Amino acid sequence: TFYKHQVRPPSTGKPARIPHMQFFKDLNLSAFTAGFVAVLVGFTSSVAIVFQAAQAFNATPEQISSWMWALGLGMGLCSAIPSLWLKKPVMVAWSTPGAAVLATAGLAGGFSMGEAVAAFMVSAALITLFGVTGWFEKLMNHIPMAIASALLAGVLARFGLQAFAAAQSALPLVLLMLAIYLAGKRFMPRYAVVLTLLGGMVFVAARGEMAWTAMGFSFALPVFVAPHFTLAAIVSLALPLFVVTMASQNLPGVAAIRAAGYGPDAPDGGIPLSKVLTLTGLATLLLAPFGAFALNLSAITAAICMGPEAHADPRKRYTAAVTCGAIYVVIGIFGAAVTGLLTAFPKELVLAIAGLALLGTIGNGLAQALRDESHREAALITFLVTLSGVAIAGIGSAFWGVVAGALALFVQQYRLRSA
């Protein structure tokens, strides 16, 4: 006990409390690019849904700007600060399925912005409860690694498919980016994603396909909205938002952490999942009156920042998450200016760079999922159901993929070991 608490041997891998200048020593170009690509993919792929959710509650332009301020600061600080403290990549994002649920339920129910804010706070309180008690982490510990890897591969494979489907509308761009990526992996593997992104940007800029007119300069200012608690809003908004965020966002997020080797079973203890989950709940609770509807663990952008493309050394991949968090904070502060810059990229470029950047993680997920023959069929079912995108009772395919895989595993393995 004395040795454990008084002496910390170098081999434990515990986060050393070293000056922040260490971050700049660990940061390299590939990590910075991974952080930028994560923001580009995560932001441009779903910002329109967030706008729709805000408009469903009759939000004013000032309130929509406040939503971006709250979400940008929440995602940025919840990603950058834990990553710097733990020296591990902690990635937090907004709940895209949650925004979709809010956009639909808000229009159908005619709820006010005050009722929406109250629903955000109730959902955040439930997420905090699951983090403080450790219930969610205990549940995740019972999911086999093969199922979790298949879940992650299924979530990310859709981006891989979209990357090549973008060739239907932008064949020269996708072929060029694919060629640069393959050549980069062959001759400069550390900078393959960097070169691919730069090549794509130069190509679309030369063809005049960048939507520069969308850019403008303005600061985002917070707008406080007092919560108005009603039973109808709690039932119709808060509970669906909580369930969707936990099942469709936090569940794949934990799978991404485990697949990258930062889970609780890591030699150094990994990322403290319950504490991070609690942090996202508390941050949402604090920023909800300003428009932060749901902050959660990221899966897609986490895979970009936690993979070998971000940094060859797993101990230094936290710099990609810190970079991503810093850019999110800038988005929150400058609001429309950065929003215009990110949305200026053609959607085909965003889809292509996302799919190519995730190829390695998709392949590793499938390899881990199918490695054990006794779990192979259940993992394959998990992968296919997740990839299908099916939504039942408003809950996304990530949750149903785990359910289907767990049922398949139960049927195949029940009493088999004891027999």
Side-chain angles (χ1 to χ4, degrees):
T1 302
F2 176 84
Y3 180 83
K4 178 180 179 182
H5 292 286
Q6 301 297 327
V7 182
R8 179 175 293 175
S11 60
T12 60
K14 295 289 184 181
R17 303 296 177 241
I18 54 181
H20 68 276
M21 291 301 294
Q22 182 66 37
F23 165 76
F24 296 101
K25 295 180 181 179
D26 294 341
L27 181 67
N28 63 9
L29 181 60
S30 60
F32 179 85
T33 303
F36 176 77
V37 170
V39 174
L40 179 65
V41 172
F43 193 88
T44 58
S45 63
S46 58
V47 67
I49 302 176
V50 176
F51 286 165
Q52 290 174 5
Q55 292 168 352
F57 303 110
N58 298 314
T60 64
E62 292 77 16
Q63 289 173 334
I64 294 177
S65 178
S66 178
W67 277 43
M68 301 314 300
W69 176 87
L71 291 168
L73 261 64
M75 293 187 298
L77 296 178
C78 288
S79 297
I81 294 176
S83 297
L84 276 174
W85 180 259
L86 297 169
K87 296 297 182 289
K88 295 179 180 65
V90 177
M91 294 291 292
V92 173
W94 64 46
S95 175
T96 301
V101 167
L102 292 174
T104 303
L107 289 174
F111 297 101
S112 67
M113 183 61 74
E115 289 177 303
V117 167
F120 302 165
M121 297 179 71
V122 171
S123 173
L126 290 173
I127 292 174
T128 303
L129 175 64
F130 272 68
V132 171
T133 58
W135 292 342
F136 185 69
E137 185 173 354
K138 292 176 182 177
L139 176 64
M140 287 300 302
N141 289 337
H142 287 85
I143 298 178
M145 189 62 188
I147 301 296
S149 299
L151 165 67
L152 178 64
V155 170
L156 302 182
R158 279 178 284 177
F159 283 81
L161 293 173
Q162 291 172 358
F164 296 101
Q168 292 181 347
S169 56
L171 181 61
L173 173 63
V174 175
L175 289 179
L176 173 65
M177 294 179 69
L178 178 60
I180 295 175
Y181 176 80
L182 293 175
K185 292 294 287 186
R186 174 64 177 85
F187 299 105
M188 301 177 66
R190 289 181 57 188
Y191 304 104
V193 176
V194 178
L195 296 173
T196 304
L197 177 61
L198 290 176
M201 291 173 60
V202 170
F203 181 80
V204 297
R207 290 166 61 97
E209 296 176 354
M210 293 287 287
W212 300 117
T213 56
M215 292 187 60
F217 182 83
S218 63
F219 288 98
L221 298 176
V223 177
F224 179 83
V225 176
H228 177 55
F229 293 91
T230 63
L231 180 60
I234 293 175
V235 173
S236 301
L237 296 178
L239 295 182
L241 177 61
F242 166 72
V243 172
V244 166
T245 299
M246 296 297 286
S248 300
Q249 293 288 142
N250 284 322
L251 187 63
V254 173
I257 292 173
R258 293 176 63 185
Y262 298 103
D265 54 346
D268 59 354
I271 296 173
L273 299 178
S274 294
K275 292 182 179 179
V276 174
L277 189 66
T278 302
L279 176 64
T280 63
L282 292 176
T284 305
L285 197 60
L286 179 65
L287 294 171
F290 304 100
F293 57 92
L295 301 173
N296 49 251
L297 296 173
S298 170
I300 299 164
T301 55
I304 295 174
C305 292
M306 291 181 181
E309 289 80 7
H311 204 296
D313 188 348
R315 297 171 299 177
K316 298 180 180 180
R317 291 174 190 167
Y318 76 94
T319 56
V322 174
T323 300
C324 178
I327 297 175
Y328 274 137
V329 171
V330 173
I331 290 176
I333 295 174
F334 290 97
V338 182
T339 301
L341 173 62
L342 294 177
T343 55
F345 290 92
K347 65 176 184 179
E348 291 85 359
L349 184 148
V350 176
L351 293 175
I353 193 63
L356 294 174
L358 292 170
L359 282 180
T361 306
I362 297 171
N364 290 336
L366 285 173
Q368 293 181 17
L370 304 178
R371 179 178 301 153
D372 188 348
E373 187 175 354
S374 63
H375 290 173
R376 185 171 300 166
E377 199 164 77
L380 186 59
I381 291 174
T382 301
F383 171 76
L384 293 175
V385 173
T386 304
L387 180 60
S388 70
V390 62
I392 303 174
I395 302 176
S397 60
F399 174 78
W400 298 116
V402 173
V403 171
L407 287 175
L409 193 62
F410 175 78
V411 172
Q412 293 179 335
Q413 301 290 326
Y414 181 65
R415 293 190 181 276
L416 186 61
R417 294 182 184 275
S418 58

